[in-house]
């Protein structure tokens, strides 16, 4: 009860500068500007084709935000009596506004989980758990007319009820959980696979700061600005991913690989003590030998399935065996960037990659085998591999050399089998 009284007093003290209706124009203008920006982002995302789960969550969050800003405008109009100010109208629009905010928090949490390539949302039990705080909010809002735990009326004005702070805090569980997911992913991702942590952490940090302030005084339109800023940054991040992420495998593409290697070269050459780490850099080229045959025999859809199977195997290898940066360089070729200290690990590294691919083919129940050829290049000073272009060129040369060697071995084996057969006949 002391907490509730303290919140009520803080609410009253904070509202003193806004007791008249002079705030109304500013609040309506702020919500309208934010709603216009969000509507533009929504229309652009709606026009995009082939939406992923991440994009779907983003589109839904934009739609909820537009409704939130609209409800904010209606809330102001009720408060200044443009729309008739009654206990019912005040409560309904406040409940809608708060419910939309709770829904938005849940959607952005789900967006964060998908954005981190986590499998959390694939499990039905975790999906149900994630929506529990939102459902609690909705239940309390529906029951409020009976118990007034959320808000009550005093002199025809809304005041926070005993459970008001609980409902605010349960919503902040979403950005707090999202921040934990982001930090966990960043720790696991490795030094050079880090996504832009500033962009990723902006949403939870901003909401953890703004939500309590907005709760103290709903007349200051802080939350609509926070939502809009976050949505703009998400859109910028998404636009950036279009030029650096392969849409099929979700690995980095050729441009992403170039950016990653450029960053490694830059930090390795500029920072003291980092040159030794750069000297451990290895670039592996992994090529699917039979993709053309798979496409011609089973169709391109099955070819994509084969690519995704290899991608899943490489992802498991990265997560379970050896931390490395993975990119789909082009077509049927992947690139793996990693640091290897012991030269004896090279053959073991490549053998484990093949084993993971073979195991994934079996697990996926494919009707065919997938063979890969692997080549690699090592960073070395005073050679062509001390440049980015030279390192890639050398890995490609090694790959092509190993391909030719495998073809030669295959032809030799076939001719040897024919010779043995002829000897048996004779």
């Amino acid at each position: 009860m002391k907490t509730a009284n303290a919140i009520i007093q803080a609410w009253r003290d904070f509202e003193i500068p806004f007791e008249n209706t002079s705030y109304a124009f500013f609040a309506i203008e702020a919500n309208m500007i934010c709603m216009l920006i969000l509507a533009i982002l929504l229309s652009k995302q709606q026009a995009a084709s082939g939406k992923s789960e991440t994009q779907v969550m983003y589109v839904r969050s934009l739609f909820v935000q537009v409704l939130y800003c609209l409800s904010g405008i209606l809330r102001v109009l009720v408060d200044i009596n443009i729309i008739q100010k009654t206990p019912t109208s005040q409560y309904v629009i406040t409940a809608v506004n708060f419910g939309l905010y709770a829904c938005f928090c849940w959607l952005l949490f789900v967006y964060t989980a998908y954005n981190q390539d986590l499998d959390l949302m694939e499990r039905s039990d975790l999906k149900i758990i994630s929506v529990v705080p939102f459902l609690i909010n909705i239940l309390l809002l529906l029951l409020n007319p009976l118990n007034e735990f959320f808000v009550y009326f005093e002199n025809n004005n809304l005041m926070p009820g005993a459970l008001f702070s609980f409902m605010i805090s349960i919503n902040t569980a979403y950005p707090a959980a999202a921040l934990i997911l982001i930090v966990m992913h960043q720790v696991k991702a490795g030094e050079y696979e880090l996504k832009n942590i500033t962009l990723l952490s902006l949403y939870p940090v901003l909401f953890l700061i703004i939500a309590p302030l907005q709760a103290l005084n709903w007349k200051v339109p802080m939350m609509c600005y926070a939502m809009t800023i976050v949505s703009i940054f998400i859109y910028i991040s998404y636009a950036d991913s279009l030029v650096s992420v392969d849409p099929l495998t979700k690995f980095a593409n050729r441009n992403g690989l170039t950016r990653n290697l450029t960053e490694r070269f830059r930090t390795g050459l500029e920072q003291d003590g980092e040159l030794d780490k750069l000297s451990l850099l290895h670039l592996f080229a992994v090529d699917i030998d039979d993709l053309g045959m798979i496409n011609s025999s089973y169709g391109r859809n099955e070819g994509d399935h084969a690519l995704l199977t290899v991608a899943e195997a490489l992802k498991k290898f990265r997560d379970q065996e050896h931390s490395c940066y993975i990119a789909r360089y082009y077509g049927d070729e992947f690139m793996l960037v990693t640091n290897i200290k012991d030269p004896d690990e090279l053959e073991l590294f490549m053998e484990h990659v093949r084993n993971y691919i073979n195991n994934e083919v079996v697990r996926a129940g494919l009707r065919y085998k997938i063979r890969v050829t692997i080549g690699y290049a090592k960073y070395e000073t005073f050679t062509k591999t001390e440049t980015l272009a030279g390192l890639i060129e050398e890995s490609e040369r090694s790959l092509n050399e190993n391909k030719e060697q495998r073809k030669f071995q295959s032809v030799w084996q076939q001719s040897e089998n024919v010779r043995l057969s002829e000897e048996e006949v004779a």
Side-chain angles (χ1 to χ4, degrees), residues 290-311:
D290 310 313
L291 189 62
M293 181 273 294
I294 295 170
N295 282 331
S296 59
S297 301
Y298 302 99
R300 292 197 172 273
N301 287 337
E302 189 61 33
D304 287 345
H305 188 198
L307 277 168
L308 289 172
T309 301
V310 173

Side-chain angles (χ1 to χ4, degrees), residues 94-109:
T94 301
V96 169
N97 185 263
F98 194 83
L100 288 169
Y101 170 68
C103 181
F104 171 74
C105 289
W106 172 67
L107 287 172
L108 242 61
F109 168 76

